[in-house]
């Protein structure tokens, strides 16, 4: 681990940028139709419960990342195997998010450019940031969060001024009851982006005041969840539930419709900046967690030595994981959820917490 520390504000910034990340790009929770905002808020509620699990594990091992205390909880052989699984998971999700943004740029602005070239540019930027370390990423995040919110505020104002919002498209609420909403929560919105907070178990030890982890984590997740619910509600109100469910990039389609007095239009270029900012930090956090975990597990003295080899691996994986964007989204929302997110975000962390609590209880000296 690096010897640097980050403060509570910087961790909050990283969480907010991370949670927005690809969630504002992909069609998140669109199976819930006009009730998508409810599905996101319910995903937030259960995501907060998962966060309490992650935070409690950190309290048991406050100076160590997830991959370091796994062997202490379940024993060295199984613990090291699980550490390898989590490192692989972090790098794999980094590749998936990299693919999301490569496809976005390919669709929006560079249809003739090879996907590999677009992904390589983003990957090199991420590798440079991770090479510089978590403190540099956190300080950069403080600057870009302001930019992100200014662009978001301008976007909301322009969407409403353009007269695009039709709130009747958000009705009727719960048209088909709670069944469709709960299905969306258990298959999508709980895991992306809220369950992905598991990656911050690799960053919590860098906090200079560990006591604030709970408050910072809850604040960042709640703010992000409300923002995502508002964004998806606006997408539905502008495009309609059917159009949103068919769109590959709902927010981008919403922004493209902005037109004020035949003067302010084609503003999607500006908001591409906001989308890329979120993508950069989400990829960076996942990639950093994978690199630091691998360095610790394999006894590499400095994580910088692994940045470029693992970065090349993530880049190649981002291109190879799917033949096209439709296949990529199907894998991400259907297959990855059940085979990776559920066990690695829910089942294993809860099991680890139970074992750690039992170990803690019986290791205490009797009076």
């Amino acid at each position: 681990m690096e010897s640097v520390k980050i403060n509570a504000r910087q961790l909050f910034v990283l969480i907010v940028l991370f949670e927005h990340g690809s969630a504002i790009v992909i069609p998140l929770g669109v199976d819930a139709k006009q009730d998508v905002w409810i599905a996101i808020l319910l995903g937030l509620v259960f995501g907060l419960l998962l966060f309490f699990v992650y935070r409690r594990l950190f309290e048991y091992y406050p100076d160590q990342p997830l991959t370091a205390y796994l062997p202490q909880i379940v024993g060295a052989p199984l613990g090291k195997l699980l550490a390898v699984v989590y490192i692989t998971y972090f790098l794999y999700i980094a590749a998936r998010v990299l693919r999301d943004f490569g496809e976005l740029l390919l669709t929006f602005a560079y249809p003739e450019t090879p996907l590999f070239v677009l992904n390589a540019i983003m990957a090199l930027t991420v590798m440079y940031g991770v090479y510089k370390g978590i403190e540099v990423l956190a300080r950069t995040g403080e600057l870009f969060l302001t930019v992100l919110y200014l662009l978001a505020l301008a976007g909301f104002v322009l969407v409403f001024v353009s007269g695009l919002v039709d709130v009747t498209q958000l009705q009727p609420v719960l048209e088909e009851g709670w069944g469709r909403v709960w299905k969306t929560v258990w298959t999508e919105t709980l895991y992306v982006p809220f369950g992905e907070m598991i990656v911050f178990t690799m960053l919590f030890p860098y906090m200079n005041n560990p006591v604030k982890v709970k408050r910072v984590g809850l604040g960042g997740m709640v703010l992000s969840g409300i923002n995502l619910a508002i964004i998806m509600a606006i997408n539905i109100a502008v495009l309609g539930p059917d159009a949103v469910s068919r769109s590959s990039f709902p927010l981008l389609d919403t922004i493209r419709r902005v037109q004020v007095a035949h003067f302010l239009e084609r503003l999607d270029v500006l908001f591409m900046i906001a989308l890329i900012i979120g993508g950069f930090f989400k990829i960076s956090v996942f990639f950093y967690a994978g690199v630091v975990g691998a360095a610790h597990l394999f006894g590499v003295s400095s994580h910088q030595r692994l940045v470029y080899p693992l970065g090349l691996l993530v880049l190649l994986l981002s291109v190879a994981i799917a033949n096209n964007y439709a296949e990529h989204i199907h894998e991400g929302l259907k297959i990855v959820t059940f085979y990776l997110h559920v066990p690695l975000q829910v089942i294993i962390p809860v099991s680890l917490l139970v074992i750690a609590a039992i170990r803690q209880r019986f290791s205490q000296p009797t009076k």
Side-chain angles (χ1 to χ4, degrees):
M1 286 181 58
E2 294 183 84
S3 58
V4 299
K5 292 291 183 179
I6 59 176
N7 58 39
R9 183 181 66 254
Q10 291 169 335
L11 180 63
F12 176 82
V13 166
L14 287 176
I15 290 174
V16 172
L17 290 170
F18 173 87
E19 290 285 277
H20 284 74
S22 58
I24 60 177
V25 177
I26 63 175
L28 178 66
V30 294
D31 288 344
K33 299 291 185 179
Q34 67 267 25
D35 299 320
V36 60
W37 61 276
I38 301 176
I40 291 174
L41 292 178
L42 287 174
L44 168 63
V45 171
F46 290 98
L48 292 175
L49 296 178
L50 284 180
F51 175 75
F52 280 114
V53 174
Y54 308 151
R55 181 190 64 88
R56 187 59 177 163
L57 284 169
F58 168 67
E59 289 180 347
Y60 283 133
Y61 305 94
D63 299 321
Q64 302 176 57
L66 172 66
T67 52
Y69 59 72
L70 277 169
Q72 299 178 45
I73 297 177
V74 297
L78 180 58
K80 290 183 178 180
L81 176 61
L82 286 176
V84 171
V85 170
Y86 272 103
I87 291 167
T88 305
Y89 173 66
F90 296 148
L91 295 175
Y92 175 71
I93 300 301
R96 294 203 65 85
V97 180
L98 179 59
R99 178 64 177 262
D100 287 335
F101 284 88
E103 292 283 359
L104 175 64
L105 291 171
L106 195 67
T107 302
F108 167 71
Y110 307 101
E112 302 300 324
T113 305
L115 177 65
F116 178 84
V117 174
L118 297 174
N119 285 8
I121 294 172
M122 175 68 91
L124 287 171
T125 308
V126 169
M127 284 187 273
Y128 178 76
V130 171
Y131 185 90
K132 289 297 183 180
I134 188 63
E135 186 179 20
V136 172
L137 284 174
R139 290 182 181 275
T140 306
E142 290 181 281
L143 171 64
F144 279 110
L145 183 64
T146 303
V147 175
L148 186 67
Y149 267 88
L150 287 175
L151 290 173
L153 180 61
F156 289 144
V157 170
L158 290 173
V159 167
F160 280 97
V161 169
S162 298
L164 297 173
V165 177
D166 180 8
V167 294
T168 61
Q169 300 205 75
L170 293 168
Q171 301 171 344
V173 177
L174 299 176
E175 180 181 14
E176 298 180 11
W178 285 95
R180 187 170 63 186
V181 173
W182 284 117
K183 180 181 178 182
T184 304
V185 172
W186 300 127
T187 57
E188 290 186 42
T189 57
L190 169 59
Y191 314 106
V192 179
F194 306 112
E196 292 176 328
M197 282 292 293
I198 182 69
V199 74
F200 279 86
T201 57
M202 301 294 294
L203 302 188
F204 290 155
Y206 293 109
M207 271 284 286
N208 60 5
N209 190 351
V211 176
K212 294 184 178 180
V213 164
K214 176 182 176 181
R215 185 176 65 186
V216 170
L218 293 178
M221 290 181 68
V222 169
L223 176 62
S224 301
I226 293 173
N227 288 345
L228 292 174
I230 292 173
I231 289 170
M232 288 307 299
I234 290 176
N235 288 338
I236 295 291
V238 172
L239 303 174
D242 292 331
V244 168
S245 64
R246 294 192 302 267
S247 174
S248 298
F249 308 108
L251 180 59
L252 185 59
D253 290 341
T254 296
I255 294 168
R256 280 176 165 172
R257 294 198 177 191
V258 172
Q259 185 179 48
V260 180
H262 299 284
F263 174 68
L264 288 174
E265 55 185 15
R266 295 296 298 173
L267 301 175
D268 38 356
V269 174
L270 294 177
F271 295 100
M272 281 293 297
I273 298 173
L275 302 181
I276 291 173
I277 289 172
F280 168 79
F281 282 98
K282 186 158 189 175
I283 298 167
S284 296
V285 169
F286 270 120
F287 183 56
Y288 183 84
V291 169
V292 170
H296 179 273
L297 183 65
F298 298 110
V300 179
S301 59
S302 174
H303 80 277
Q304 282 92 341
R305 296 183 179 182
L306 297 179
V307 167
Y308 292 106
L310 291 180
L312 178 60
L313 176 64
V314 168
L315 172 59
L316 295 176
L317 185 60
S318 71
V319 178
I321 52 179
N323 294 320
N324 52 59
Y325 185 68
E327 181 181 326
H328 168 67
I329 288 295
H330 173 75
E331 290 176 358
L333 296 181
K334 305 301 179 183
I335 299 174
V336 173
T337 295
F338 295 103
Y339 292 100
L340 291 180
H341 291 335
V342 172
L344 296 177
Q345 293 179 7
V346 182
I347 298 175
I348 292 177
V350 171
S351 301
L352 290 173
L353 180 59
V354 172
I355 297 171
I358 294 173
R359 282 180 174 272
Q360 189 81 1
R361 181 178 180 85
F362 285 99
S363 65
Q364 292 177 351
T366 57
K367 296 183 179 179

